[in-house]
Short mmCIF file of all heavy atoms in Angstrom, two decimals:
data_model
loop_
_atom_site.label_atom_id
_atom_site.label_comp_id
_atom_site.label_asym_id
_atom_site.label_seq_id
_atom_site.Cartn_x
_atom_site.Cartn_y
_atom_site.Cartn_z
N ASP A 24 7.26 -11.64 19.76
CA ASP A 24 8.12 -12.00 20.96
C ASP A 24 8.94 -13.21 20.49
O ASP A 24 8.40 -14.26 20.28
CB ASP A 24 7.20 -12.31 22.14
CG ASP A 24 8.04 -12.75 23.38
OD1 ASP A 24 9.26 -12.80 23.35
OD2 ASP A 24 7.43 -12.98 24.40
N VAL A 25 10.19 -12.99 20.33
CA VAL A 25 11.10 -14.06 19.81
C VAL A 25 11.12 -15.29 20.68
O VAL A 25 11.16 -16.40 20.14
CB VAL A 25 12.54 -13.52 19.58
CG1 VAL A 25 13.22 -13.29 20.90
CG2 VAL A 25 13.32 -14.51 18.72
N CYS A 26 10.90 -15.17 22.04
CA CYS A 26 10.94 -16.33 22.86
C CYS A 26 9.61 -17.10 22.82
O CYS A 26 9.59 -18.37 22.72
CB CYS A 26 11.22 -15.90 24.31
SG CYS A 26 12.84 -15.20 24.51
N SER A 27 8.46 -16.42 22.86
CA SER A 27 7.17 -17.10 22.91
C SER A 27 6.62 -17.47 21.54
O SER A 27 5.96 -18.47 21.42
CB SER A 27 6.16 -16.21 23.66
OG SER A 27 6.57 -15.92 24.99
N PHE A 28 6.87 -16.54 20.59
CA PHE A 28 6.31 -16.79 19.21
C PHE A 28 7.45 -16.47 18.17
O PHE A 28 7.36 -15.50 17.42
CB PHE A 28 5.14 -15.80 19.02
CG PHE A 28 4.05 -16.00 19.98
CD1 PHE A 28 3.96 -15.20 21.09
CD2 PHE A 28 3.16 -17.04 19.84
CE1 PHE A 28 2.91 -15.38 22.06
CE2 PHE A 28 2.10 -17.25 20.74
CZ PHE A 28 2.00 -16.41 21.85
N PRO A 29 8.39 -17.43 18.07
CA PRO A 29 9.50 -17.18 17.16
C PRO A 29 9.03 -17.04 15.70
O PRO A 29 9.66 -16.30 14.92
CB PRO A 29 10.42 -18.32 17.33
CG PRO A 29 9.58 -19.42 18.01
CD PRO A 29 8.53 -18.72 18.76
N GLY A 30 7.97 -17.74 15.32
CA GLY A 30 7.49 -17.63 13.92
C GLY A 30 7.07 -16.27 13.55
O GLY A 30 7.30 -15.82 12.46
N VAL A 31 6.33 -15.62 14.43
CA VAL A 31 5.90 -14.25 14.18
C VAL A 31 7.07 -13.30 14.05
O VAL A 31 7.15 -12.52 13.13
CB VAL A 31 4.93 -13.73 15.32
CG1 VAL A 31 4.58 -12.30 15.12
CG2 VAL A 31 3.69 -14.62 15.38
N PHE A 32 8.02 -13.49 15.00
CA PHE A 32 9.23 -12.67 14.94
C PHE A 32 9.97 -12.85 13.61
O PHE A 32 10.35 -11.85 12.98
CB PHE A 32 10.12 -13.02 16.12
CG PHE A 32 11.33 -12.19 16.23
CD1 PHE A 32 11.31 -10.94 16.85
CD2 PHE A 32 12.57 -12.65 15.72
CE1 PHE A 32 12.50 -10.20 16.95
CE2 PHE A 32 13.72 -11.85 15.80
CZ PHE A 32 13.68 -10.63 16.42
N ILE A 33 10.23 -14.07 13.21
CA ILE A 33 10.97 -14.34 11.97
C ILE A 33 10.25 -13.79 10.77
O ILE A 33 10.80 -13.17 9.92
CB ILE A 33 11.19 -15.87 11.86
CG1 ILE A 33 12.24 -16.30 12.93
CG2 ILE A 33 11.77 -16.24 10.50
CD1 ILE A 33 12.35 -17.81 13.11
N ALA A 34 8.87 -14.08 10.69
CA ALA A 34 8.10 -13.59 9.55
C ALA A 34 8.18 -12.08 9.47
O ALA A 34 8.26 -11.51 8.41
CB ALA A 34 6.68 -14.06 9.70
N ALA A 35 8.08 -11.37 10.63
CA ALA A 35 8.09 -9.94 10.62
C ALA A 35 9.44 -9.44 10.12
O ALA A 35 9.49 -8.49 9.31
CB ALA A 35 7.80 -9.40 11.99
N GLN A 36 10.54 -10.03 10.54
CA GLN A 36 11.85 -9.65 10.13
C GLN A 36 12.00 -9.85 8.65
O GLN A 36 12.57 -8.96 7.94
CB GLN A 36 12.94 -10.43 10.93
CG GLN A 36 13.01 -10.09 12.37
CD GLN A 36 13.38 -8.65 12.66
OE1 GLN A 36 14.25 -8.13 11.99
NE2 GLN A 36 12.75 -8.00 13.59
N ARG A 37 11.56 -10.96 8.14
CA ARG A 37 11.68 -11.27 6.67
C ARG A 37 10.88 -10.23 5.90
O ARG A 37 11.31 -9.71 4.87
CB ARG A 37 11.13 -12.64 6.37
CG ARG A 37 12.11 -13.70 6.70
CD ARG A 37 11.58 -15.08 6.34
NE ARG A 37 12.44 -16.13 6.80
CZ ARG A 37 12.12 -17.39 6.92
NH1 ARG A 37 10.87 -17.76 6.61
NH2 ARG A 37 12.95 -18.25 7.28
N PHE A 38 9.59 -9.92 6.32
CA PHE A 38 8.77 -8.98 5.63
C PHE A 38 9.44 -7.62 5.57
O PHE A 38 9.49 -6.95 4.55
CB PHE A 38 7.42 -8.85 6.27
CG PHE A 38 6.48 -7.90 5.62
CD1 PHE A 38 5.67 -8.32 4.52
CD2 PHE A 38 6.37 -6.63 6.07
CE1 PHE A 38 4.85 -7.40 3.86
CE2 PHE A 38 5.55 -5.70 5.42
CZ PHE A 38 4.76 -6.12 4.31
N ALA A 39 9.97 -7.23 6.71
CA ALA A 39 10.67 -5.88 6.84
C ALA A 39 11.86 -5.85 5.85
O ALA A 39 12.01 -4.86 5.09
CB ALA A 39 11.13 -5.64 8.21
N ARG A 40 12.65 -6.89 5.85
CA ARG A 40 13.84 -6.92 4.98
C ARG A 40 13.46 -6.94 3.52
O ARG A 40 13.99 -6.14 2.72
CB ARG A 40 14.68 -8.19 5.31
CG ARG A 40 16.01 -8.19 4.63
CD ARG A 40 16.89 -9.34 5.11
NE ARG A 40 16.28 -10.70 5.10
CZ ARG A 40 15.86 -11.31 6.22
NH1 ARG A 40 16.04 -10.78 7.38
NH2 ARG A 40 15.27 -12.51 6.12
N ARG A 41 12.46 -7.71 3.09
CA ARG A 41 12.09 -7.82 1.73
C ARG A 41 11.41 -6.55 1.21
O ARG A 41 11.44 -6.23 0.04
CB ARG A 41 11.10 -8.97 1.52
CG ARG A 41 11.80 -10.32 1.63
CD ARG A 41 10.82 -11.46 1.45
NE ARG A 41 11.51 -12.70 1.66
CZ ARG A 41 10.90 -13.83 1.88
NH1 ARG A 41 9.57 -13.94 1.97
NH2 ARG A 41 11.58 -14.93 2.05
N ASN A 42 10.80 -5.76 2.10
CA ASN A 42 10.10 -4.60 1.67
C ASN A 42 10.77 -3.32 2.11
O ASN A 42 10.25 -2.23 1.95
CB ASN A 42 8.68 -4.59 2.24
CG ASN A 42 7.85 -5.68 1.57
OD1 ASN A 42 7.36 -5.50 0.52
ND2 ASN A 42 7.76 -6.85 2.26
N SER A 43 11.99 -3.41 2.60
CA SER A 43 12.82 -2.32 3.04
C SER A 43 12.05 -1.37 4.00
O SER A 43 11.99 -0.13 3.82
CB SER A 43 13.30 -1.51 1.83
OG SER A 43 14.09 -2.29 0.95
N LEU A 44 11.41 -2.01 4.98
CA LEU A 44 10.68 -1.24 5.97
C LEU A 44 11.27 -1.51 7.38
O LEU A 44 11.68 -2.59 7.68
CB LEU A 44 9.24 -1.71 5.97
CG LEU A 44 8.38 -1.46 4.76
CD1 LEU A 44 7.06 -2.18 4.80
CD2 LEU A 44 8.16 0.05 4.55
N PRO A 45 11.21 -0.45 8.21
CA PRO A 45 11.66 -0.66 9.57
C PRO A 45 10.63 -1.40 10.39
O PRO A 45 9.43 -1.19 10.13
CB PRO A 45 11.94 0.70 10.12
CG PRO A 45 10.97 1.55 9.28
CD PRO A 45 10.93 0.93 7.92
N VAL A 46 11.00 -2.21 11.31
CA VAL A 46 10.08 -2.83 12.25
C VAL A 46 9.96 -1.91 13.39
O VAL A 46 10.93 -1.60 14.11
CB VAL A 46 10.62 -4.23 12.73
CG1 VAL A 46 9.62 -4.85 13.73
CG2 VAL A 46 10.86 -5.14 11.60
N GLN A 47 8.72 -1.49 13.68
CA GLN A 47 8.48 -0.56 14.82
C GLN A 47 7.80 -1.42 15.88
O GLN A 47 6.84 -2.10 15.57
CB GLN A 47 7.62 0.62 14.38
CG GLN A 47 8.33 1.41 13.29
CD GLN A 47 7.49 2.56 12.78
OE1 GLN A 47 6.91 3.30 13.60
NE2 GLN A 47 7.45 2.74 11.50
N VAL A 48 8.36 -1.35 17.11
CA VAL A 48 7.81 -2.25 18.17
C VAL A 48 7.19 -1.45 19.32
O VAL A 48 7.74 -0.41 19.73
CB VAL A 48 8.95 -3.09 18.74
CG1 VAL A 48 8.48 -4.02 19.82
CG2 VAL A 48 9.62 -3.88 17.66
N GLU A 49 6.03 -1.93 19.77
CA GLU A 49 5.35 -1.30 20.92
C GLU A 49 4.82 -2.50 21.77
O GLU A 49 3.89 -3.17 21.39
CB GLU A 49 4.19 -0.49 20.43
CG GLU A 49 3.50 0.36 21.43
CD GLU A 49 4.35 1.54 21.90
OE1 GLU A 49 5.08 2.14 21.06
OE2 GLU A 49 4.28 1.95 23.06
N GLY A 50 5.58 -2.76 22.87
CA GLY A 50 5.17 -3.89 23.65
C GLY A 50 5.41 -5.20 22.90
O GLY A 50 6.49 -5.44 22.34
N LYS A 51 4.38 -6.03 22.78
CA LYS A 51 4.49 -7.31 22.05
C LYS A 51 3.85 -7.13 20.70
O LYS A 51 3.52 -8.17 20.02
CB LYS A 51 3.87 -8.48 22.79
CG LYS A 51 4.70 -8.90 23.98
CD LYS A 51 4.25 -10.18 24.55
CE LYS A 51 5.20 -10.63 25.64
NZ LYS A 51 4.87 -11.93 26.12
N LYS A 52 3.66 -5.93 20.24
CA LYS A 52 3.11 -5.70 18.91
C LYS A 52 4.20 -5.05 18.04
O LYS A 52 5.01 -4.23 18.51
CB LYS A 52 1.92 -4.78 18.98
CG LYS A 52 0.72 -5.37 19.69
CD LYS A 52 -0.46 -4.44 19.60
CE LYS A 52 -1.68 -4.94 20.34
NZ LYS A 52 -1.74 -6.18 20.97
N CYS A 53 4.24 -5.40 16.79
CA CYS A 53 5.09 -4.65 15.88
C CYS A 53 4.23 -4.16 14.72
O CYS A 53 3.17 -4.64 14.43
CB CYS A 53 6.25 -5.51 15.36
SG CYS A 53 5.77 -6.72 14.17
N PHE A 54 4.74 -3.14 14.12
CA PHE A 54 4.00 -2.57 12.97
C PHE A 54 4.89 -2.01 11.93
O PHE A 54 6.05 -1.74 12.18
CB PHE A 54 2.93 -1.53 13.40
CG PHE A 54 3.44 -0.41 14.19
CD1 PHE A 54 3.71 0.83 13.57
CD2 PHE A 54 3.70 -0.54 15.55
CE1 PHE A 54 4.17 1.89 14.32
CE2 PHE A 54 4.18 0.58 16.32
CZ PHE A 54 4.42 1.77 15.68
N PHE A 55 4.37 -1.99 10.73
CA PHE A 55 5.06 -1.47 9.55
C PHE A 55 4.30 -0.37 8.99
O PHE A 55 3.03 -0.50 8.89
CB PHE A 55 5.24 -2.55 8.50
CG PHE A 55 5.87 -3.80 8.98
CD1 PHE A 55 5.04 -4.82 9.41
CD2 PHE A 55 7.22 -3.97 9.07
CE1 PHE A 55 5.59 -6.09 9.85
CE2 PHE A 55 7.78 -5.13 9.53
CZ PHE A 55 6.97 -6.19 9.94
N VAL A 56 4.88 0.71 8.61
CA VAL A 56 4.20 1.83 7.92
C VAL A 56 4.93 2.16 6.74
O VAL A 56 6.16 2.39 6.75
CB VAL A 56 4.13 3.09 8.90
CG1 VAL A 56 3.44 4.24 8.16
CG2 VAL A 56 3.45 2.77 10.21
N LYS A 57 4.29 2.08 5.59
CA LYS A 57 4.93 2.44 4.34
C LYS A 57 4.68 3.89 4.03
O LYS A 57 3.58 4.29 3.77
CB LYS A 57 4.39 1.59 3.17
CG LYS A 57 5.22 1.77 1.87
CD LYS A 57 5.01 0.64 0.95
CE LYS A 57 5.91 0.90 -0.29
NZ LYS A 57 5.81 -0.16 -1.25
N THR A 58 5.70 4.68 4.17
CA THR A 58 5.59 6.10 3.98
C THR A 58 5.48 6.45 2.49
O THR A 58 5.80 5.62 1.60
CB THR A 58 6.77 6.84 4.57
OG1 THR A 58 7.98 6.32 4.00
CG2 THR A 58 6.80 6.67 6.06
N VAL A 59 5.02 7.61 2.22
CA VAL A 59 4.82 8.09 0.87
C VAL A 59 5.60 9.39 0.71
O VAL A 59 5.41 10.31 1.46
CB VAL A 59 3.35 8.35 0.59
CG1 VAL A 59 3.12 8.75 -0.87
CG2 VAL A 59 2.50 7.17 0.93
N SER A 60 6.50 9.35 -0.32
CA SER A 60 7.14 10.65 -0.59
C SER A 60 6.24 11.54 -1.38
O SER A 60 5.25 11.06 -2.04
CB SER A 60 8.43 10.36 -1.39
OG SER A 60 8.11 10.00 -2.74
N LEU A 61 6.48 12.80 -1.37
CA LEU A 61 5.68 13.77 -2.14
C LEU A 61 5.71 13.34 -3.63
O LEU A 61 4.68 13.44 -4.33
CB LEU A 61 6.19 15.19 -1.96
CG LEU A 61 5.41 16.27 -2.61
CD1 LEU A 61 3.92 16.21 -2.25
CD2 LEU A 61 5.98 17.62 -2.29
N GLN A 62 6.89 13.00 -4.13
CA GLN A 62 6.97 12.61 -5.54
C GLN A 62 6.12 11.41 -5.86
O GLN A 62 5.47 11.37 -6.90
CB GLN A 62 8.44 12.34 -5.87
CG GLN A 62 8.67 12.03 -7.35
CD GLN A 62 8.31 13.17 -8.26
OE1 GLN A 62 8.47 14.35 -7.94
NE2 GLN A 62 7.79 12.87 -9.49
N GLN A 63 6.09 10.43 -4.99
CA GLN A 63 5.27 9.25 -5.19
C GLN A 63 3.82 9.61 -5.23
O GLN A 63 3.06 9.14 -6.04
CB GLN A 63 5.46 8.19 -4.08
CG GLN A 63 6.80 7.49 -4.17
CD GLN A 63 7.04 6.60 -2.96
OE1 GLN A 63 6.76 7.00 -1.82
NE2 GLN A 63 7.51 5.40 -3.15
N GLU A 64 3.39 10.53 -4.35
CA GLU A 64 2.01 10.92 -4.28
C GLU A 64 1.62 11.71 -5.54
O GLU A 64 0.52 11.45 -6.10
CB GLU A 64 1.80 11.80 -3.02
CG GLU A 64 0.34 12.13 -2.78
CD GLU A 64 -0.52 10.89 -2.42
OE1 GLU A 64 0.07 9.92 -1.87
OE2 GLU A 64 -1.72 10.94 -2.69
N VAL A 65 2.49 12.49 -6.04
CA VAL A 65 2.24 13.29 -7.23
C VAL A 65 2.08 12.32 -8.45
O VAL A 65 1.16 12.43 -9.23
CB VAL A 65 3.36 14.33 -7.53
CG1 VAL A 65 3.28 14.86 -8.89
CG2 VAL A 65 3.28 15.47 -6.49
N GLU A 66 2.96 11.32 -8.55
CA GLU A 66 2.88 10.38 -9.63
C GLU A 66 1.59 9.56 -9.55
O GLU A 66 0.94 9.25 -10.56
CB GLU A 66 4.10 9.42 -9.62
CG GLU A 66 5.40 10.10 -9.97
CD GLU A 66 5.36 10.85 -11.31
OE1 GLU A 66 4.83 10.24 -12.29
OE2 GLU A 66 5.84 11.97 -11.37
N THR A 67 1.17 9.16 -8.31
CA THR A 67 -0.06 8.41 -8.17
C THR A 67 -1.26 9.27 -8.62
O THR A 67 -2.14 8.83 -9.32
CB THR A 67 -0.20 8.01 -6.70
OG1 THR A 67 0.86 7.15 -6.33
CG2 THR A 67 -1.54 7.31 -6.47
N LEU A 68 -1.26 10.54 -8.20
CA LEU A 68 -2.37 11.40 -8.55
C LEU A 68 -2.39 11.63 -10.12
O LEU A 68 -3.49 11.69 -10.66
CB LEU A 68 -2.28 12.73 -7.81
CG LEU A 68 -2.57 12.63 -6.36
CD1 LEU A 68 -2.28 13.96 -5.61
CD2 LEU A 68 -3.99 12.18 -6.02
N LYS A 69 -1.24 11.81 -10.69
CA LYS A 69 -1.21 11.99 -12.17
C LYS A 69 -1.83 10.76 -12.89
O LYS A 69 -2.54 10.91 -13.79
CB LYS A 69 0.22 12.17 -12.64
CG LYS A 69 0.78 13.56 -12.41
CD LYS A 69 2.22 13.63 -12.91
CE LYS A 69 2.85 14.98 -12.68
NZ LYS A 69 4.26 15.04 -13.14
N LYS A 70 -1.47 9.54 -12.35
CA LYS A 70 -2.01 8.33 -12.99
C LYS A 70 -3.55 8.25 -12.81
O LYS A 70 -4.25 7.93 -13.74
CB LYS A 70 -1.35 7.11 -12.42
CG LYS A 70 -1.84 5.82 -13.04
CD LYS A 70 -1.18 4.60 -12.53
CE LYS A 70 -1.65 3.34 -13.17
NZ LYS A 70 -2.93 3.30 -13.75
N ARG A 71 -3.98 8.68 -11.63
CA ARG A 71 -5.45 8.64 -11.40
C ARG A 71 -6.20 9.66 -12.30
O ARG A 71 -7.21 9.36 -12.82
CB ARG A 71 -5.73 8.96 -9.95
CG ARG A 71 -5.40 7.82 -9.02
CD ARG A 71 -5.76 8.09 -7.62
NE ARG A 71 -5.39 7.03 -6.70
CZ ARG A 71 -5.38 7.07 -5.47
NH1 ARG A 71 -5.70 8.13 -4.84
NH2 ARG A 71 -5.01 5.99 -4.72
N VAL A 72 -5.55 10.83 -12.47
CA VAL A 72 -6.19 11.81 -13.38
C VAL A 72 -6.22 11.29 -14.82
O VAL A 72 -7.24 11.39 -15.50
CB VAL A 72 -5.40 13.13 -13.31
CG1 VAL A 72 -5.81 14.06 -14.49
CG2 VAL A 72 -5.64 13.83 -11.99
N ALA A 73 -5.15 10.68 -15.24
CA ALA A 73 -5.06 10.13 -16.61
C ALA A 73 -6.14 9.02 -16.78
O ALA A 73 -6.85 8.97 -17.80
CB ALA A 73 -3.72 9.58 -16.96
N ASP A 74 -6.29 8.18 -15.78
CA ASP A 74 -7.29 7.13 -15.82
C ASP A 74 -8.69 7.71 -15.90
O ASP A 74 -9.55 7.22 -16.67
CB ASP A 74 -7.19 6.18 -14.59
CG ASP A 74 -5.95 5.32 -14.61
OD1 ASP A 74 -5.31 5.18 -15.70
OD2 ASP A 74 -5.60 4.77 -13.55
N LEU A 75 -8.95 8.73 -15.15
CA LEU A 75 -10.28 9.39 -15.19
C LEU A 75 -10.51 10.06 -16.52
O LEU A 75 -11.64 9.98 -17.07
CB LEU A 75 -10.39 10.45 -14.05
CG LEU A 75 -10.59 9.89 -12.63
CD1 LEU A 75 -10.49 10.99 -11.64
CD2 LEU A 75 -11.99 9.18 -12.57
N GLU A 76 -9.46 10.70 -17.10
CA GLU A 76 -9.63 11.29 -18.43
C GLU A 76 -9.98 10.23 -19.45
O GLU A 76 -10.82 10.43 -20.31
CB GLU A 76 -8.38 12.10 -18.81
CG GLU A 76 -8.16 13.32 -17.98
CD GLU A 76 -6.82 14.03 -18.19
OE1 GLU A 76 -5.89 13.34 -18.71
OE2 GLU A 76 -6.73 15.19 -17.91
N ASP A 77 -9.32 9.04 -19.38
CA ASP A 77 -9.60 7.96 -20.31
C ASP A 77 -11.03 7.48 -20.16
O ASP A 77 -11.76 7.25 -21.12
CB ASP A 77 -8.64 6.80 -20.09
CG ASP A 77 -7.22 7.11 -20.54
OD1 ASP A 77 -7.01 8.12 -21.29
OD2 ASP A 77 -6.31 6.36 -20.12
N PHE A 78 -11.46 7.41 -18.91
CA PHE A 78 -12.82 6.94 -18.64
C PHE A 78 -13.90 7.88 -19.15
O PHE A 78 -14.86 7.52 -19.77
CB PHE A 78 -13.04 6.75 -17.12
CG PHE A 78 -14.42 6.33 -16.77
CD1 PHE A 78 -14.88 5.02 -16.89
CD2 PHE A 78 -15.32 7.25 -16.26
CE1 PHE A 78 -16.14 4.67 -16.57
CE2 PHE A 78 -16.61 6.91 -15.89
CZ PHE A 78 -17.01 5.61 -16.06
N ILE A 79 -13.65 9.16 -18.94
CA ILE A 79 -14.55 10.21 -19.42
C ILE A 79 -14.63 10.20 -20.97
O ILE A 79 -15.73 10.27 -21.53
CB ILE A 79 -14.16 11.63 -18.88
CG1 ILE A 79 -14.42 11.65 -17.40
CG2 ILE A 79 -14.93 12.72 -19.61
CD1 ILE A 79 -13.81 12.83 -16.66
N ALA A 80 -13.48 10.07 -21.64
CA ALA A 80 -13.44 10.06 -23.08
C ALA A 80 -14.24 8.85 -23.53
O ALA A 80 -14.99 8.93 -24.55
CB ALA A 80 -11.99 10.02 -23.53
N MET A 81 -14.10 7.69 -22.92
CA MET A 81 -14.78 6.47 -23.32
C MET A 81 -16.28 6.67 -23.10
O MET A 81 -17.09 6.27 -23.96
CB MET A 81 -14.25 5.30 -22.51
CG MET A 81 -14.39 3.97 -23.17
SD MET A 81 -13.52 2.61 -22.42
CE MET A 81 -13.48 2.95 -20.72
N ALA A 82 -16.68 7.26 -21.96
CA ALA A 82 -18.10 7.45 -21.69
C ALA A 82 -18.73 8.41 -22.73
O ALA A 82 -19.84 8.15 -23.18
CB ALA A 82 -18.29 7.95 -20.28
N LEU A 83 -17.99 9.43 -23.09
CA LEU A 83 -18.54 10.41 -24.01
C LEU A 83 -18.61 9.78 -25.42
O LEU A 83 -19.60 10.03 -26.16
CB LEU A 83 -17.65 11.64 -24.10
CG LEU A 83 -17.70 12.53 -22.88
CD1 LEU A 83 -16.64 13.62 -22.96
CD2 LEU A 83 -19.09 13.12 -22.66
N ALA A 84 -17.65 8.92 -25.76
CA ALA A 84 -17.71 8.24 -27.08
C ALA A 84 -18.89 7.29 -27.11
O ALA A 84 -19.64 7.24 -28.11
CB ALA A 84 -16.40 7.47 -27.32
N LEU A 85 -19.15 6.56 -25.99
CA LEU A 85 -20.33 5.67 -25.97
C LEU A 85 -21.63 6.46 -26.03
O LEU A 85 -22.60 6.02 -26.70
CB LEU A 85 -20.30 4.80 -24.68
CG LEU A 85 -19.23 3.75 -24.66
CD1 LEU A 85 -19.15 3.06 -23.31
CD2 LEU A 85 -19.55 2.67 -25.72
N GLU A 86 -21.68 7.53 -25.36
CA GLU A 86 -22.82 8.43 -25.34
C GLU A 86 -23.13 8.96 -26.78
O GLU A 86 -24.24 8.92 -27.27
CB GLU A 86 -22.69 9.60 -24.40
CG GLU A 86 -23.91 10.49 -24.26
CD GLU A 86 -23.69 11.60 -23.30
OE1 GLU A 86 -23.42 11.33 -22.11
OE2 GLU A 86 -23.73 12.76 -23.72
N GLY A 87 -22.05 9.33 -27.48
CA GLY A 87 -22.19 9.79 -28.83
C GLY A 87 -22.66 8.69 -29.78
O GLY A 87 -23.48 8.91 -30.67
#
Side-chain angles (χ1 to χ4, degrees):
D24 180 359
V25 71
C26 295
S27 302
F28 302 97
V31 174
F32 182 84
I33 291 166
Q36 293 296 319
R37 284 182 184 161
F38 181 84
R40 187 173 51 253
R41 288 179 183 160
N42 292 280
S43 302
L44 295 170
V46 179
Q47 300 178 45
V48 180
E49 189 72 35
K51 287 192 176 186
K52 294 185 181 357
C53 75
F54 56 100
F55 308 94
V56 178
K57 187 162 186 178
T58 58
V59 183
S60 72
L61 182 56
Q62 183 62 34
Q63 288 172 317
E64 189 64 28
V65 167
E66 292 305 316
T67 298
L68 290 173
K69 283 180 181 179
K70 183 177 181 334
R71 288 183 181 168
V72 166
D74 290 345
L75 285 171
E76 289 172 341
D77 290 345
F78 177 79
I79 290 168
M81 204 167 33
L83 290 173
L85 287 172
E86 184 179 300

